[in-house]
Amino acid sequence: VFLEEVLTRAVNQTKEIILEKNVNTDNLDITAKQVGIGAVIFQELSNNRIKDYTFSWEKVLNFEGETGPYVQYTHARAASVLRNGGALTEQIIADPGSANTDFITGDSAYELAKLIYRFPAVVLEAGEKYEPSIVTRHIVDIAQNFNKFYHDEHILVNDEEEKKAKLLLVYAAKQTIRNGLLLLGMEAPERM
């Protein structure tokens, strides 16, 4: 099987999944390409380089679990939260110091912040060991913890100061996931 065939099939199957699940996207073809090709890249890089594995379409194109589409979907979810934050999101992006991080008190928020903080060290470790699976594992952990934070805490609360702090954490998670995906050669869709 040639790589071109694998990538074409991945894009076509992703397009079918997007249509089946009524995924919100600006452009079906572009999103299918980003997610389909990203799924193959992520699958290849998420396995330890010296170990064999069995390629499975079901696993590669799964939007749940430890897959590329799951991480890309989490990035799109964070982007959606930030869009819903409106002008306040723009304010914290322009001036992150204006957010009072004392409002970040929940366990899931704290765990997410720790993972974001560790990202540069993880990238260095992956580079030193020539092991991209270290990066894939870490951005999966960030995505899982972001989704726990999203589930556990109401982000767009009435209190402006608390909302700013939580939006800052969402922004940091989104950017870290995006940076991880870009390091792996993948795109990070804003809508999915």
Side-chain angles (χ1 to χ4, degrees):
V1 176
F2 292 105
L3 178 60
E4 185 177 352
E5 293 172 28
V6 171
L7 296 177
T8 300
R9 182 172 172 191
V11 170
N12 291 336
Q13 285 190 326
T14 300
K15 192 181 293 186
E16 290 173 18
I17 292 168
I18 289 171
L19 290 170
E20 198 176 284
K21 295 186 179 230
N22 293 320
V23 174
N24 178 21
T25 178
D26 292 334
N27 185 312
L28 175 64
D29 291 328
I30 290 174
T31 302
K33 186 176 180 182
Q34 290 174 330
V35 176
I37 292 173
V40 173
I41 292 170
F42 196 88
Q43 176 65 30
E44 290 298 311
L45 297 179
S46 66
N47 295 291
N48 191 299
R49 327 181 265 115
I50 59 171
K51 293 186 180 176
D52 291 336
Y53 76 96
T54 303
F55 184 86
S56 161
W57 283 111
E58 291 75 30
K59 184 175 180 187
V60 169
L61 298 177
N62 192 344
F63 278 66
E64 298 172 9
E66 300 175 0
T67 64
Y70 171 77
V71 175
Q72 288 173 311
Y73 175 76
T74 301
H75 176 271
R77 173 180 270 181
S80 175
V81 171
L82 293 171
R83 280 191 302 275
N84 290 334
L88 204 54
T89 296
E90 293 172 23
Q91 182 184 350
I92 62 116
I93 291 171
D95 183 15
S98 69
N100 181 353
T101 55
D102 290 342
F103 286 99
I104 304 297
T105 58
D107 290 342
S108 58
Y110 179 70
E111 289 302 315
L112 178 58
K114 284 192 329 187
L115 287 168
I116 293 166
Y117 176 79
R118 276 198 23 76
F119 183 71
V122 167
V123 171
L124 286 174
E125 179 187 356
E128 289 168 357
K129 294 180 177 179
Y130 300 105
E131 189 56 71
S133 65
I134 295 170
V135 173
T136 62
R137 175 74 252 158
H138 195 73
I139 62 173
V140 164
D141 289 345
I142 291 172
Q144 289 171 337
N145 277 271
F146 172 80
N147 285 315
K148 184 168 177 24
F149 167 67
Y150 179 85
H151 178 266
D152 289 353
E153 299 200 28
H154 189 65
I155 297 167
L156 300 174
V157 295
N158 291 331
D159 183 294
E160 288 286 298
E161 293 303 312
E162 181 180 355
K163 187 188 310 184
K164 279 171 61 174
K166 290 179 176 180
L167 284 171
L168 181 61
L169 184 57
V170 170
Y171 178 70
K174 175 187 175 287
Q175 287 305 114
T176 305
I177 291 170
R178 177 181 178 77
N179 291 343
L181 290 172
L182 292 175
L183 280 173
L184 298 171
M186 296 171 61
E187 295 189 44
E190 293 288 317
R191 295 180 190 272
M192 210 170 121

